[in-house]
Amino acid sequence: MYAWEFAKDGQAFTVKAEGQLVFNSIMHVLNAAVDGVGLAYVPEPLLAPYLADGRLQEILADWCPTFEGYHLYYPNRRQPSPAFTAFVDAIKYTG
């Protein structure tokens, strides 16, 4: 099970949530929270529409660490391999 990560003022800790339900899709977790089943630890971009229209509310916001994004170090080659180029294209932020 994924441990929920929290951080504030240099203090970090994780919590292994216990409960009756286990999901294998983040969308199922989100839908359960919308239906009032319980708390959900979900990436903020997925929550935005639900927060905006009031179906969900954020708690412990000041304890949620931010994700700085992926960093990629790659070889200094003039012509990267097609596989490497496909990987870079797949992880680019298009927000």
Side-chain angles (χ1 to χ4, degrees):
M1 297 295 180
Y2 181 76
W4 295 4
E5 300 170 358
F6 297 97
K8 181 180 178 182
D9 300 329
Q11 179 184 5
F13 65 93
T14 60
V15 174
K16 289 194 175 198
E18 296 180 14
Q20 298 289 326
L21 300 174
V22 177
F23 298 100
N24 63 359
S25 165
I26 196 72
M27 292 309 295
H28 292 129
V29 173
L30 181 60
N31 290 334
V34 170
D35 290 342
V37 173
L39 299 177
Y41 188 80
V42 181
E44 191 172 357
L46 291 176
L47 290 175
Y50 301 94
L51 294 173
D53 67 14
R55 287 185 282 173
L56 290 176
Q57 67 183 78
E58 192 172 21
I59 60 170
L60 299 172
D62 55 338
W63 281 92
C64 293
T66 58
F67 176 65
E68 299 297 328
Y70 294 103
H71 300 275
L72 179 65
Y73 297 94
Y74 56 93
N76 185 6
R77 295 187 183 169
R78 202 169 244 182
Q79 304 225 343
S81 72
F84 178 76
T85 302
F87 175 75
V88 170
D89 290 343
I91 64 168
K92 279 184 182 175
Y93 180 72
T94 59

